[in-house]
Amino acid sequence: MNIEVVSGRILEKNYELLVLGAFEGEDLRGVSEEIDHALGQEISKIIKTLEFEGKPKQTSLLHTQGRISIRRILLVGLGKREEFNLEAVRTASGKTARFTRDLGVTSYATTILGDAEKIRLSSIVENLVAGCELALYQFRRYKTEDKESPKKIDKITIFAESPDSVDEVRKSILTAQIIDRGVSLARDISNIPSSDATPAHIAEEAKKIARENRMKCTVLETKDMEKQGMGGILNVARGSLQPPKLVILEHNGGGEDRPIVLLGKGITFDSGGISIKPSEKMEEMKHDKSGAATVIAAMQTAAQLQLPLNIVGITPLTENLPSGSAYKPGDILKIYNGKTVEVISTDAEGRLIMADALAYASKYKPQATIDLATLTGACITALGGVATGLLGNDDDLKRKITSAGETTGERVWELPLWDDYKEQLKSEVADMKNVGGRPAGAITAASFLSNFVDYPWAHLDIAGTAWTQNGSPEKPYIPKGATGVGVRLIIEVLRGWKS
Ligand code: BES
Ligand code: MN
Ligand code: ZN
């Protein structure tokens, strides 16, 4: 998307459409007042008659009938000024982008929405850009006609009232575009069906991303994983004709610092295996690679932002299918750190591949590890699509993530990881079972993972937030399908990181 910033006299511009933001119950100021005046108080009238009150997501379109050189004005509600935050910016901006696209307009201009006295201008601009770019994302690569959407915005102009701010605004646009490209990449990887997004295909994509962004990329093949004793991923992969891959991306921007490890579950399709899932909604299990998608995308983003940190991204990739060679309930596996697991359900496969990856991460002596996984239906039961589940062993790390969740709107909510829950995983024949029964399913899954970490660690269960489903909040900047959740969250954590 081509996004530029301009300043100057607003009444001299000849835009197809200009977006003006309005707070609930307030008079117009600045550029809005200037345009209102030129239009004979037309905008004030709309507000006075309560046709448009400035409520969030509310819009009102006005044709200027040649009275000024801007053809249309689109008013968008920002809600109450006291409640103004970055979510209001993303929502208003996403709403106007979609509205404008549906109108069939191909370019538009927008003022900087909101109150730059309350929130830093750079944050407002980044989220203004995110709002439109993320709202305009479309997954069309399998459409045979109109692969390119017939309605498409190709240029957005940001009008900065103050000429002095143009450089700052331009910088924020570029930063936002790097992050939004990351979110789109994560959405694409998650949306692509398992027949195309195989472990091998994703590994090739990761190599390409590494080449283009000066990262190191290592791919562990079956034979490497056999040598390393990764009994989790190898056994889950046994039912599939697709060979598993373990991809490691490294961004080295932090000198001698110990790295931060990001780890993402990459089940390219989760049928449940021998413990097969019901067929209803099984197609959504192509999204079971969303954690890996987010980690690969966050690595690309971190590299492009040139973050001054060492970051390692690890993604175990495999399908989970039933077949004559598949692993079975009752099997006992040995994970990379030597611990044994009795398989109760082959559908609790995510924790098995994550166990290998988490244990493997230890060799990097990480300052901290954050994992993302579409791990449990139980997490959806607990939090729905509104928040990602957060569990971990380090309060400072959890606080950083929680705070980034508020800023980015990718909210997380903590569940307890008390030792009491370990009881449910006790096995008669192995060190532990891979399921702990129905009670507290999201917690027992995380509790299982805790057996494989020996460093500060946070686990994000994104089962409810990785794609839009029943219970997902309606947000204009989140189209149907994969959300790319976690990219903006992780990048926010990393941008604020002090080693
Ligand atoms: N990938 C699923 C979790 C999932 C289910 C995510 C639905 C999003 C929507 C995971 O591999 C799984 O099957 N978990 C089981 C665990 C159970 C067997 C202990 C679950 O949640 O039912
Ligand atoms: Mn499963
Ligand atoms: Zn799964």
Side-chain angles (χ1 to χ4, degrees), residues 265 270 277 285 288 347 349 374-377 380 435 463 467:
K265 169 177 170 181
D270 183 10
K277 288 180 179 299
M285 284 300 122
D288 210 22
D347 197 12
E349 84 299 338
T374 48
L375 206 62
T376 65
I380 311 179
V435 301
W467 65 94

Side-chain angles (χ1 to χ4, degrees), residues 454-477:
D454 57 2
Y455 41 68
W457 162 67
H459 159 65
L460 294 168
D461 193 330
I462 56 171
T465 49
W467 65 94
T468 58
Q469 43 191 297
N470 204 346
S472 298
E474 285 281 339
K475 295 189 182 187
Y477 62 93

Side-chain angles (χ1 to χ4, degrees), residues 139 142 188-198 268 286 289:
F139 182 68
Y142 293 87
D188 280 346
I189 296 174
S190 176
N191 279 330
I192 295 174
S194 64
S195 56
D196 287 338
T198 57
T268 56
K286 71 171 182 178
K289 52 181 151 39

Side-chain angles (χ1 to χ4, degrees), residues 350-421:
R351 61 195 75 183
L352 298 173
I353 71 167
M354 295 300 276
D356 274 332
L358 285 163
Y360 188 74
S362 179
K363 78 175 204 138
Y364 292 94
K365 304 253 175 295
Q367 310 180 40
T369 294
I370 305 174
D371 84 69
L372 299 103
T374 48
L375 206 62
T376 65
C379 191
I380 311 179
T381 306
L383 301 172
V386 174
T388 291
L390 166 67
L391 302 99
N393 61 11
D394 188 88
D395 288 335
D396 181 51
L397 181 60
K398 286 186 285 189
R399 255 192 303 276
K400 284 187 175 117
I401 296 171
T402 304
S403 151
E406 291 304 320
T407 312
T408 56
E410 296 193 328
R411 289 196 287 190
V412 304
W413 195 259
E414 189 178 1
L415 299 171
L417 194 54
W418 294 311
D419 280 344
D420 308 54
Y421 294 104

